[in-house]
Amino acid sequence: MQLVVARVGRAHGIKGEVTVEVRTDEPELRLSPGAVLLTDPASTGPLTIETGRVHSGRLLLRFEGVRDRNAAEALRNTLLIADIDPDEMPEGEDEYYDHQLMDLDVVLADGTEVGRITEITHLPSQDLFIVERPDGTELMIPFVEEIVTDIDLEKQQAVIDPPPGLIDDRAEIVSSRDEDSARDDDSAADKPSAGDAGA
């Protein structure tokens, strides 16, 4: 199983270091010195991490054989890919790899079907499930324990307890429009028509 664990950013300094955009919850495991990573495009790899350090909140890596700024800049936008055992689990409790969550059925606690996870977006503040509903529309479900109450890999389900409006906002909009139009109909019925006024 291949997982994208980082994307190479711009060169840092003149000795071959690069900034990286981390895309794994386990950078200390996946992006440690000695790790050998596949790449996309494949022609730039495989790359072996020689050193790693954090500078101003950004992870900086240097790869074996990359010794100057030009060589580092040539790696810009390269995806770094780790080859892992598909049965391997993250070290932390209640942590999952993206591939384990993809295609899970999303249901409410009572079993009501909500949709299927088609994508996972990693934001600085939290992760989001992109969920495709049966009608083809998409929802964004924050992957936080207050909302995603259970992940059952055996049942291939993610159980959610959504706050009001998270998954039923369209229904509320439709119902409020219906009420508004009903009020308009009622007020129109109360007004005398031109014919009535003249009678």
Side-chain angles (χ1 to χ4, degrees), residues 26-87:
E26 301 174 306
E28 67 287 344
L29 177 65
R30 305 295 173 200
L31 300 171
S32 59
V36 179
L37 300 168
L38 303 176
T39 60
D40 181 9
S43 58
T44 59
L47 294 171
T48 301
I49 297 175
E50 187 172 276
T51 63
R53 65 187 178 100
V54 176
H55 174 73
S56 299
R58 298 294 301 267
L59 179 62
L60 302 179
L61 297 180
R62 181 162 47 223
F63 301 102
E64 289 183 5
V66 178
R67 287 288 173 261
D68 58 41
R69 187 177 183 86
N70 289 339
E73 193 62 37
L75 296 174
R76 193 167 186 167
N77 293 324
T78 296
L79 296 178
L80 302 177
I81 302 167
D83 203 357
I84 70 164
D85 183 336
D87 294 326

Side-chain angles (χ1 to χ4, degrees), residues 2-158:
Q2 295 183 344
L3 294 178
V4 174
V5 293
R7 183 178 67 86
V8 177
R10 63 178 185 270
H12 179 84
I14 60 172
K15 296 183 178 179
E17 282 186 312
V18 295
T19 62
V20 293
E21 173 191 313
V22 177
R23 296 189 181 179
T24 173
D25 292 331
E26 301 174 306
E28 67 287 344
L29 177 65
R30 305 295 173 200
L31 300 171
S32 59
V36 179
L37 300 168
L38 303 176
T39 60
D40 181 9
S43 58
T44 59
L47 294 171
T48 301
I49 297 175
E50 187 172 276
T51 63
R53 65 187 178 100
V54 176
H55 174 73
S56 299
R58 298 294 301 267
L59 179 62
L60 302 179
L61 297 180
R62 181 162 47 223
F63 301 102
E64 289 183 5
V66 178
R67 287 288 173 261
D68 58 41
R69 187 177 183 86
N70 289 339
E73 193 62 37
L75 296 174
R76 193 167 186 167
N77 293 324
T78 296
L79 296 178
L80 302 177
I81 302 167
D83 203 357
I84 70 164
D85 183 336
D87 294 326
E88 182 181 334
M89 294 290 288
E91 292 181 348
E93 188 177 352
D94 294 329
E95 291 183 358
Y96 303 91
Y97 293 127
D98 286 5
H99 73 273
Q100 295 172 309
L101 301 172
M102 289 291 289
D103 291 323
L104 291 188
D105 292 323
V106 179
V107 299
L108 301 180
D110 63 4
T112 302
E113 180 184 3
V114 175
R116 180 178 59 88
I117 299 172
T118 57
E119 186 180 338
I120 298 159
T121 300
H122 300 282
L123 302 177
S125 57
Q126 65 187 17
D127 296 335
L128 289 175
F129 290 161
I130 308 302
V131 177
E132 183 178 316
R133 304 192 78 169
D135 63 4
T137 59
E138 289 187 337
L139 291 171
M140 289 188 291
I141 307 288
F143 186 21
V144 293
E145 61 182 349
E146 295 83 7
I147 296 174
V148 181
T149 59
D150 186 44
I151 298 289
D152 191 327
L153 295 180
E154 286 189 12
K155 291 184 178 178
Q156 288 290 287
Q157 285 186 341

Side-chain angles (χ1 to χ4, degrees), residues 135-195:
D135 63 4
T137 59
E138 289 187 337
L139 291 171
M140 289 188 291
I141 307 288
F143 186 21
V144 293
E145 61 182 349
E146 295 83 7
I147 296 174
V148 181
T149 59
D150 186 44
I151 298 289
D152 191 327
L153 295 180
E154 286 189 12
K155 291 184 178 178
Q156 288 290 287
Q157 285 186 341
V159 181
I160 65 169
D161 180 18
L166 183 64
I167 65 172
D168 54 1
D169 56 341
R170 289 177 302 130
E172 289 178 6
I173 292 169
V174 170
S175 63
S176 64
R177 283 188 188 144
D178 289 344
E179 288 170 11
D180 290 343
S181 62
R183 275 195 223 102
D184 291 343
D185 291 344
D186 290 343
S187 59
D190 293 340
K191 293 176 185 173
S193 64

